[in-house]
Amino acid sequence: MKRLSDIGTIKDILSRHGFTFSKALGQNFLINPSVCPRMASCSGAGKGVGVIEVGPGIGVLTNELCQLADKVVAVELDKRLLPVLDETLAEYDNVKVVNADVLELDLNQLIKDEFDGLEVVVCANLPYYITSPVIMKLLEDRLPISAVTVMVQKEAAQRICAEVGSRMSGAVTVSVNYYAKPQMLFGVSAGSFMPAPKVDSAVIRLDILKEPPVQADEGLFFAVVRAAFSQRRKVISNSLSAGLGKSKEEILAVLEAANVPPTARAEKLSLENFAAIANAIGE
Ligand code: SAM
C-alpha cells in the first residue's frame, strides 16, 4: 500500500469515498509524514501493549500504532469514515474500529473486553472541540492505563503542562496534575493538517500516577479548584466565597486553618495549598 501520510494518497482516498470534512467534528487530518511515527513511538505502544485511539480519521496514526502495538482499538464517531478505515487498515489483523462517541463510551468495560493482560495506553490527535472533556474523562474514569499521548492546540498544551503555581497555570493544570505527570513533547505547525487550522498544535504526554500527590476529599478538592479559578484575577478569599457560596468570614477562617494568605491568587497556589483548603472546609 502507498504511504498513507502522502498527501496525494490521502486526497485520492477521500475523493474516491466522496468524503467532505466536518468542521463540527474537529476534522483536521494530519498530512505531515513525520508526525505520526514520532507520536506513536512516544506513546509507549509496543510489544505487550494495547492502544486506545480517539478519532482515527482516515487511519494515518492508527497505521503507525498497529505496527508497534499488540492491539489497537480506534473509536471514531463519524460513520462516513468506517468504509475508509476498512480500506486503509485492511492489512492489519490487530485493529478494531468502534463507531461511538468517546464521551459516551464505557472505557473501563472496553479495556476489560479488548485488552486482557495488556498494558494499555491512549494515543490520539484529539478533536479540538472536546479536548478538555476527553482528557478529563480519561483521567477521572480511573482507567487502568499507564499513559495518554495526545495532540492538542498549542495553547491548551502550554496550559496543561504549565507548573502548578505559575502564571500560566489554570484549573486544568491543577486537575491534570492531580492524576498525572504532564510533559510537553513537541510542537506541530498548522500546515501539518488538512484543512489547516488557524492555530499551531503540540503533542503532550500524561504519565498516570498510581496515587494522587495530595490527600483530600476529591469532591471538595475539585470544587475548590473550580471556584478558585472561576475568577482568577480576584484574590482567593473573594473567589472562594463567591464560587463556594460561603460567607467571607467562613472562608477567612478556612484559609487561616489551611495556612494560605487570603490575598493570594489561584494561579500562585500549589496542589498542597488546594488540598489544605479542601481539608479545612471538610473539618
Ligand atoms: N487521527 C486523524 C489524524 O490525525 O489525521 C484524525 C484526527 S481529527 C483532529 C479528529 C477525529 O476525531 C476525526 O476523525 C473526528 O471524526 C473524530 N471525532 C470527533 N468527535 C469525536 C467523538 N466525540 N468521539 C470519537 N471520535 C470523534
Side-chain angles (χ1 to χ4, degrees):
M1 186 183 194
K2 281 189 261 171
R3 271 188 80 87
L4 197 52
S5 51
D6 176 76
I7 177 101
T9 311
I10 297 175
K11 281 186 171 161
D12 169 58
I13 291 169
L14 293 179
S15 91
R16 274 192 293 102
H17 287 269
F19 183 83
T20 50
F21 294 96
S22 160
K23 215 172 169 183
L25 288 181
Q27 288 176 343
N28 301 96
F29 292 172
L30 269 164
I31 51 167
N32 177 338
S34 68
V35 176
C36 290
R38 199 168 167 198
M39 252 187 105
S41 81
C42 290
S43 73
K47 281 267 156 290
V49 178
V51 184
I52 300 176
E53 186 190 1
V54 178
I58 66 164
V60 61
L61 175 61
T62 329
N63 254 270
E64 303 295 334
L65 294 169
C66 286
Q67 290 171 38
L68 297 177
D70 277 11
K71 183 167 183 184
V72 178
V73 174
V75 181
E76 175 56 60
L77 177 59
D78 190 346
K79 265 196 178 64
R80 299 174 306 153
L81 288 166
L82 302 185
V84 178
L85 289 164
D86 274 347
E87 178 183 330
T88 59
L89 301 174
E91 68 188 280
Y92 301 105
D93 59 8
N94 60 342
V95 63
K96 178 170 178 174
V97 176
V98 175
N99 180 213
D101 180 342
V102 69
L103 293 175
E104 305 285 322
L105 209 53
D106 181 344
L107 290 172
N108 266 304
Q109 192 59 48
L110 181 141
I111 290 172
K112 271 194 200 112
D113 294 344
E114 305 290 345
F115 294 115
D116 190 29
L118 295 179
E119 178 190 344
V120 180
V121 301
V122 175
C123 184
N125 171 12
L126 288 180
Y128 292 161
Y129 75 108
I130 47 169
T131 298
S132 290
V134 173
I135 290 179
M136 289 319 294
K137 177 185 165 76
L138 294 170
L139 299 175
E140 284 168 357
D141 284 2
R142 289 281 159 76
L143 306 173
I145 56 177
S146 53
V148 172
T149 301
V150 281
M151 170 117 58
V152 300
Q153 286 190 355
K154 191 173 158 193
E155 198 185 290
Q158 286 167 333
R159 181 77 80 192
I160 290 169
C161 297
E163 282 282 309
V164 175
S166 73
R167 202 174 51 81
M168 268 303 283
S169 77
V172 72
T173 322
V174 179
S175 305
V176 167
N177 274 274
Y178 181 82
Y179 295 107
K181 188 173 167 5
Q183 156 186 195
M184 181 76 82
L185 293 184
F186 56 92
V188 180
S189 68
S192 300
F193 301 88
M194 181 171 71
K198 290 200 174 66
V199 290
D200 289 338
S201 298
V203 177
I204 60 172
R205 176 170 157 141
L206 313 177
D207 285 284
I208 309 297
L209 301 174
K210 292 209 164 38
E211 297 288 338
V214 290
Q215 297 297 314
D217 174 275
E218 229 166 270
L220 277 176
F221 178 85
F222 285 104
V224 168
V225 171
R226 272 194 303 276
F229 283 101
S230 62
Q231 297 168 303
R232 55 183 292 136
R233 307 221 174 280
K234 287 200 174 170
V235 296
I236 193 77
S237 53
N238 288 342
S239 53
L240 288 184
S241 169
L244 298 173
K246 291 188 182 293
S247 72
K248 195 77 188 285
E249 290 67 37
E250 272 178 284
I251 292 299
L252 287 175
V254 160
L255 290 172
E256 190 176 353
N259 210 8
V260 173
T263 51
R265 288 174 209 273
E267 65 202 32
K268 292 284 171 218
L269 300 189
S270 64
L271 280 170
E272 290 73 18
N273 289 147
F274 286 109
I277 296 171
N279 289 334
I281 291 174
E283 271 162 18

